[in-house]
Amino acid sequence: VYIEYTTPDRNWIFYRRAVGDQNRLFRSPADNPKAGKSVVAKRQCFGSVVDPSGKWIYFNDLPSGPSTLWRIPTDGSSTDQRIVEGIQ
């Protein structure tokens, strides 16, 4: 498990965990991480960061080479959105 970030209000933590041969991004309550977790992104996930407002988490889908920047609401209310493709 690789803990990435907490939301600015410190209510949620986001972390990467290997699922098969890919890293996935998960969310858990900060005060009780074992209480429950949900998959935030269903694609490869590296280098995630929560924006200062705490509303979005941004991540790229590959550790090296051309990758895509994605964002997803921290509350898990919708699917990930492509922001920029072909980042080197």
Side-chain angles (χ1 to χ4, degrees), residues 2-8 12-16 24-28 38-41 43 45-60 68-83:
Y2 307 94
I3 295 198
E4 297 281 336
Y5 288 98
T6 61
T7 52
W12 299 97
I13 59 171
F14 293 87
Y15 57 93
R16 287 184 292 142
R24 297 282 191 243
L25 187 63
F26 291 83
R27 178 181 81 157
S28 289
S38 59
V39 177
V40 176
R43 64 184 71 252
C45 178
F46 294 93
S48 58
V49 62
V50 176
D51 80 332
S53 74
K55 294 181 180 178
W56 297 97
I57 188 161
Y58 291 84
F59 63 94
N60 62 340
T68 301
L69 179 66
W70 299 87
R71 79 175 185 177
I72 192 164
T74 55
D75 65 6
S77 63
S78 69
T79 59
D80 40 0
Q81 303 168 359
R82 181 180 295 133
I83 303 299

Side-chain angles (χ1 to χ4, degrees), residues 1-2 16-24 26:
V1 173
Y2 307 94
R16 287 184 292 142
R17 190 179 77 188
V19 176
D21 63 346
Q22 296 189 348
N23 284 317
R24 297 282 191 243
F26 291 83

Side-chain angles (χ1 to χ4, degrees), residues 44 46 60-70 84-88:
Q44 275 280 65
F46 294 93
N60 62 340
D61 58 2
L62 294 173
S64 62
S67 65
T68 301
L69 179 66
W70 299 87
V84 179
E85 200 167 341
I87 299 171
Q88 291 283 349

